[in-house]
Amino acid sequence: MSLERLNEKQRRAAMQVEGPLLILAGAGSGKTSTMTERIAYMIEQGIPSYHILAVTFTNKAAGEMRSRVEELVGRCDDMWIMTFHAMCLRMLRYNCEVIGYDHNFVIYDGTDQKTIVKNILKEQGINDKEFSAPYLLSIISDYKEKAVSADEYRDAVEDNYKTKVIYSVFKAYEDELKKNNAMDFDDLLLNTVRLFEQDEAILLRYQRKFQYIMVDEYQDTNHIQYKLIKMLAEGHHNLCVVGDDDQCIYQWRGADIRNILDFEKDFPEAKVIKLEQNYRSVGNILAAAHSVIENNRGRKGKKLWTDREDGDKIKYYRADTEKDEARYVAQEIDLLKGRDKKYSDFAILYRTNAQSRHFEEALTQRDIPYRVLSGLRYYDRKEIKDMMAYMRLVVNPYDDLSLRRVINEPKRGMGDKSVEKIQGFANVRGESLLQALSDEEVLDTLPGKAYSGVKNMVECINLCRDERDNLRVSDIYDNLLVKTGYMKALEDANTVEAEGRIENLMEFKSVIYDYEEQADKPNIEEFMEKITLMAEVDNHDANQDAVVLMTMHSAKGLEFPVVFLPGLEDGLFPGHKAFDSSDKMEEERRLCYVGMTRAKETLILCSASVRTLYGRTEYTRESQFLRELDKRLLDGDAVYVRKTRDSGLGVSTGSFDGFAAKESPKPYDSLRYAKAATKANASAGDEEFAVGDKVRHAKFGEGLIIDQDGKTLTVIFDAAGQKKMAKGIAPLKKL
């Protein structure tokens, strides 16, 4: 077999079989072809396939690699091409008795893990609102990835109430898994390392077996994966790792970029081959991406090049608002579609899922088909559907379907049996579930744990319904979100997924504010009608010719002829947390690089001068990454050019020309502000008032309190006249 299909650098990498090798494979440089050809070359050189181990991160990547190798050299069933977890599982099945497990051990998934931790919390009498199962599991996972046991955790951390609780749960969780002859996914890796540490003979056996090791996406390995590979490779040092330090974008879930940056320290005899020829993108896209990523200090020096033409310059559009940004993107797709393009040639890649809404609406208005990848359409997301269910109950107390959806969201101890029991009461009484639960006699039948949570939920819904004429839609939303415990449950979870859900919930406030601004007489009934109609637009067939919407994290490994990167503003991309440390900023910059290098022919960048995100309107500063990009490669709005527009919107945190005022040292943090504002608005009614107090109402303006009793305030307003309103929910502020 010849290696003629490979370029000179790829051939060198394929033929470099002995000793440690680092292949720095830039975006679109033919990494997969190089790896498969390398394996085939080794087999053709007489290396038995059972001496080869190839490790990937996904089953899909492993399957593709095996298929391509077998196309070249025929069947090789005895060669291990698999994911880290599959490799460890196979090793443990044969040897797990060494670490005290039976061969028939089971693997617990995320649901099983949560159940175990919840049971532990109950047994130990720990408040699950203070220490939620997802929060504790995320800590346990973090320490397992560092190969730290519960006892080692206890010895390493400061002794206080919080660490004692974590240790107690961590230890009980370890014990429960061992008692059940079970492992979680972290255990598969960790226990394989422990197996090798406890029985050197087993490690030597695998070292003799795997004389040639290859690891794909090495920049995404965590500490325990690094340790595992290093142990296996110490036998023969024939370790080939393939990756791109410029595409390390998963540090938030444990990836350690030092693994690839320090490879030559770990293996001083290592050879380094850089695959820099790009087969995907035109020259200007590569040059633009390089002008951004070269600002990272923590990287290996490389520069992608192509023998393709330079292509068009990078387009840049500075929109007035996020709606204008979405309108522009949809318009450009319409224009470019007429030039021999399919809808599936276009991708809109954003930093956060919350950004998708405006693009979905703009595309729908132009009848452009789209699909949201690695996520749901905005109005199909669980948290949005949950809050819409709460709001529907304010409008319609007979909506049993909505109540069933949220009665245990967040967890209130309401199992199926409890719900069915209440349903029975409601049927006998001829009432809806909400009406039945509004009766103290029915509430008293609930389990102790469920009683207070369900009671608070029911009271909140009923109060919002009774007071809906005195409340803005946004007031109702804030109260439902906070007083039902929904937002707190997500905050307590303290996971990346939960943070994403909070972002979407805060962005929903923008939907509400848009409605309140545009409607003649805004009210919750009309709002829910509009949202329902908007949410029920056609679901798009995943196989159809459609524009793709997805996050930049999800886009890694993909490519499209035309790519849009919207939201290039400080505080959004890079996100506000990036300004806290250089490491976080460098990871954001790598994400920008990944996004830019998805484009084959056309790259279009966008930002908005004014953006309403999470319900807050802000003037924005153009992204640091835009400022770093070589301006000679840009076509369109130049960065830092003042635009003389009269916006009439919002409150400025900086100047309107696209860069922050001197007194604004940091980019905004809209999410944190939005959460605080939501909680503050929901608790506004909890303030103590007295007769004679002058107040301002969010809807009716200024007024005077003229009477009060245990539950209500009577206020005479300058413009709206006399109103009775409920304490605890009326959005009043003392003047």
Side-chain angles (χ1 to χ4, degrees):
M1 180 194 78
S2 74
L3 300 173
E4 288 177 0
R5 285 171 289 208
L6 305 182
N7 65 37
E8 186 265 332
K9 291 280 187 70
Q10 290 171 331
R11 275 196 301 276
R12 276 181 53 204
M15 296 171 71
Q16 182 61 51
V17 173
E18 303 296 327
L21 172 65
L22 169 60
I23 303 176
L24 284 173
S29 63
K31 162 191 80 146
T32 305
S33 297
T34 304
M35 291 179 71
T36 52
E37 295 273 2
R38 186 176 189 271
I39 294 171
Y41 176 79
M42 284 194 286
I43 292 171
E44 288 214 334
Q45 295 303 301
I47 295 171
S49 56
Y50 61 80
H51 281 323
I52 300 172
L53 168 66
V55 189
T56 68
F57 271 82
T58 66
N59 289 313
K60 183 182 175 185
E64 184 184 350
M65 190 180 294
R66 177 175 290 280
S67 156
R68 289 172 68 166
V69 169
E70 291 185 344
E71 279 177 18
L72 295 170
V73 297
R75 293 284 297 268
C76 35
D77 295 332
D78 56 355
M79 180 169 58
W80 286 31
I81 302 181
M82 57 188 66
T83 64
F84 274 99
H85 288 102
M87 174 187 73
C88 292
L89 178 58
R90 188 177 292 189
M91 291 173 172
L92 288 168
R93 284 289 183 215
Y94 288 109
N95 305 285
C96 58
E97 76 283 350
V98 174
I99 53 172
Y101 282 84
D102 291 334
H103 294 285
N104 61 344
F105 66 84
V106 295
I107 302 166
Y108 281 167
D109 62 14
T111 304
D112 300 323
Q113 291 175 268
K114 283 180 189 173
T115 302
I116 290 171
V117 172
K118 284 177 179 177
N119 290 339
I120 291 168
L121 293 174
K122 189 184 281 184
E123 288 165 8
Q124 297 188 0
I126 297 168
N127 186 343
D128 61 356
K129 292 189 171 110
E130 189 178 2
F131 295 94
S132 70
Y135 169 70
L136 290 164
L137 282 167
S138 70
I139 291 175
I140 291 169
S141 180
D142 285 346
Y143 278 95
K144 282 189 176 185
E145 282 183 1
K146 298 180 180 76
V148 175
S149 67
D151 288 339
E152 289 166 336
Y153 166 82
R154 177 195 58 198
D155 297 339
V157 298
E158 191 178 316
D159 186 21
N160 55 44
Y161 171 68
K162 180 181 174 182
T163 57
K164 281 179 179 173
V165 171
I166 293 170
Y167 166 71
S168 174
V169 175
F170 193 169
K171 182 67 175 172
Y173 177 75
E174 280 186 341
D175 293 343
E176 186 68 15
L177 260 63
K178 198 68 177 288
K179 179 169 73 72
N180 294 345
N181 194 36
M183 300 185 198
D184 61 23
F185 283 99
D186 290 323
D187 285 329
L188 292 177
L189 304 175
L190 180 56
N191 284 336
T192 305
V193 168
R194 288 176 175 163
L195 172 69
F196 291 163
E197 288 173 339
Q198 289 184 34
D199 195 320
E200 191 178 352
I202 294 173
L203 173 59
L204 286 170
R205 190 165 77 240
Y206 283 112
Q207 286 177 343
R208 283 195 296 270
K209 175 174 172 58
F210 300 125
Q211 297 179 15
Y212 299 88
I213 300 172
M214 294 180 68
V215 184
D216 191 17
E217 302 286 4
Y218 192 65
Q219 78 279 350
D220 293 333
T221 53
N222 60 28
H223 173 75
I224 198 75
Q225 289 163 334
Y226 161 81
K227 191 169 181 178
L228 187 60
I229 291 299
K230 198 164 183 292
M231 292 173 87
L232 285 170
E234 279 173 350
H236 294 84
H237 279 216
N238 296 326
L239 172 63
C240 170
V241 301
V242 187
D244 183 3
D245 52 305
D246 290 334
Q247 295 189 74
C248 180
I249 59 174
Y250 296 117
Q251 286 183 284
W252 51 273
R253 67 183 192 196
D256 190 344
I257 194 171
R258 291 173 301 181
N259 294 348
I260 194 166
L261 294 179
D262 294 344
F263 185 79
E264 293 155 274
K265 291 181 184 175
D266 294 331
F267 299 94
E269 72 275 33
K271 288 186 169 57
V272 180
I273 297 175
K274 299 176 184 178
L275 304 185
E276 296 171 297
Q277 183 174 358
N278 177 283
Y279 295 93
R280 176 186 299 155
S281 308
V282 295
N284 282 335
I285 291 173
L286 295 180
H290 181 74
S291 70
V292 174
I293 197 64
E294 68 176 352
N295 290 278
N296 272 7
R297 293 185 178 180
R299 66 186 292 265
K300 303 276 190 182
K302 68 177 180 303
K303 185 175 182 179
L304 296 183
W305 63 275
T306 182
D307 56 11
R308 296 182 66 187
E309 71 282 0
D310 287 342
D312 295 333
K313 286 188 175 182
I314 303 344
K315 289 186 182 178
Y316 172 53
Y317 180 70
R318 178 72 165 166
D320 289 337
T321 65
E322 69 278 8
K323 288 183 180 177
D324 178 34
E325 177 185 58
R327 177 202 57 76
Y328 167 78
V329 170
Q331 175 184 287
E332 283 294 296
I333 291 171
D334 250 355
L335 289 171
L336 294 170
K337 170 69 166 56
R339 303 175 192 173
D340 301 322
K341 288 280 189 295
K342 306 188 298 292
Y343 284 124
S344 55
D345 289 336
F346 299 89
I348 304 170
L349 310 181
Y350 33 75
R351 180 63 183 84
T352 68
N353 277 311
Q355 290 170 257
S356 77
R357 176 175 65 90
H358 291 293
F359 296 105
E360 292 182 50
E361 292 175 359
L363 294 170
T364 300
Q365 285 172 6
R366 284 183 172 262
D367 292 324
I368 296 173
Y370 69 89
R371 54 195 177 106
V372 182
L373 295 190
S374 299
L376 296 168
R377 293 167 59 255
Y378 183 78
Y379 291 106
D380 287 340
R381 291 173 180 138
K382 178 185 180 302
E383 58 277 13
I384 302 299
K385 282 186 170 295
D386 286 348
M387 289 313 300
M388 285 170 61
Y390 275 119
M391 295 174 83
R392 277 198 295 268
L393 285 163
V394 172
V395 174
N396 175 18
Y398 304 102
D399 187 350
D400 283 358
L401 184 67
S402 290
L403 188 70
R404 280 178 171 272
R405 179 181 180 95
V406 298
I407 195 166
N408 212 37
E409 292 289 347
K411 301 298 182 199
R412 300 189 177 96
M414 285 293 290
D416 291 342
K417 286 183 180 176
S418 298
V419 176
E420 292 308 319
K421 184 169 74 171
I422 302 301
Q423 185 72 69
F425 285 131
N427 292 343
V428 169
R429 297 158 66 109
E431 296 175 338
S432 70
L433 283 171
L434 183 63
Q435 289 172 316
L437 286 166
S438 302
D439 190 324
E440 190 66 37
E441 286 184 11
V442 177
L443 274 173
D444 282 339
T445 67
L446 294 180
K449 184 183 176 184
Y451 175 83
S452 60
V454 173
K455 185 177 181 177
N456 288 341
M457 177 196 72
V458 170
E459 285 179 350
C460 180
I461 293 169
N462 286 336
L463 199 53
C464 285
R465 190 174 71 255
D466 294 342
E467 289 290 307
R468 61 189 184 278
D469 291 341
N470 294 332
L471 298 170
R472 300 169 301 177
V473 180
S474 50
D475 297 327
I476 294 171
Y477 179 75
D478 285 348
N479 275 282
L480 290 170
L481 189 55
V482 174
K483 291 182 176 178
T484 62
Y486 197 96
M487 189 158 80
K488 187 175 185 304
L490 288 173
E491 289 178 325
D492 289 346
N494 197 30
T495 62
V496 173
E497 181 189 5
E499 184 79 357
R501 292 188 186 281
I502 293 172
E503 286 177 357
N504 291 329
L505 289 168
M506 294 297 101
E507 178 57 17
F508 195 55
K509 292 186 69 170
S510 300
V511 180
I512 296 171
Y513 288 155
D514 283 349
Y515 164 74
E516 289 177 336
E517 192 176 306
Q518 294 165 13
D520 292 333
K521 294 181 179 178
N523 60 79
I524 188 168
E525 291 87 353
E526 184 186 68
F527 174 74
M528 291 308 296
E529 282 179 12
K530 285 184 176 292
I531 287 299
T532 302
L533 290 172
M534 198 183 299
E536 293 302 319
V537 294
D538 304 347
N539 279 312
H540 298 284
D541 183 354
N543 297 314
Q544 74 181 145
D545 180 28
V547 176
V548 176
L549 282 70
M550 63 198 312
T551 64
M552 277 174 270
H553 279 103
S554 301
K556 188 177 174 189
L558 303 178
E559 58 183 41
F560 304 90
V562 183
V563 169
F564 295 88
L565 295 188
L568 280 159
E569 302 136 28
D570 281 353
L572 180 56
F573 190 39
H576 63 89
K577 290 180 181 177
F579 292 85
D580 296 338
S581 76
S582 59
D583 285 350
K584 289 177 181 174
M585 180 61 77
E586 293 209 350
E587 180 159 19
E588 286 283 283
R589 191 176 284 112
R590 290 192 294 272
L591 185 59
C592 183
Y593 176 80
V594 166
M596 294 173 77
T597 54
R598 298 313 92 194
K600 296 165 71 174
E601 300 165 14
T602 303
L603 176 62
I604 302 174
L605 313 176
C606 307
S607 68
S609 299
V610 177
R611 183 174 297 275
T612 303
L613 190 64
Y614 313 131
R616 189 187 189 195
T617 300
E618 299 241 11
Y619 296 92
T620 73
R621 174 185 169 110
E622 286 167 309
S623 169
Q624 178 166 329
F625 305 145
L626 275 172
R627 304 195 299 274
E628 292 170 354
L629 198 151
D630 186 342
K631 305 304 178 295
R632 294 170 297 181
L633 301 169
L634 278 181
D635 180 22
D637 296 5
V639 182
Y640 289 144
V641 171
R642 177 179 290 274
K643 296 191 173 186
T644 54
R645 298 175 179 137
D646 180 19
S647 78
L649 293 171
V651 178
S652 175
T653 58
S655 62
F656 191 55
D657 58 352
F659 52 98
K662 289 181 180 176
E663 61 269 24
S664 181
K666 275 188 131 180
Y668 64 84
D669 178 1
S670 284
L671 183 60
R672 194 177 300 159
Y673 175 91
K675 289 194 304 189
T678 298
K679 291 174 184 176
N681 192 37
S683 61
D686 298 335
E687 193 173 354
E688 293 291 328
F689 296 100
V691 173
D693 282 345
K694 288 184 177 180
V695 293
R696 183 187 302 279
H697 187 278
K699 185 174 179 179
F700 302 128
E702 292 185 10
L704 180 73
I705 296 176
I706 59 172
D707 195 16
Q708 67 167 320
D709 57 30
K711 291 186 176 181
T712 61
L713 295 165
T714 304
V715 187
I716 186 161
F717 291 100
D718 298 347
Q722 186 170 309
K723 301 279 184 183
K724 272 190 179 290
M725 41 193 59
K727 289 181 177 179
I729 197 169
L732 292 169
K733 190 173 181 179
K734 282 185 189 177
L735 293 175

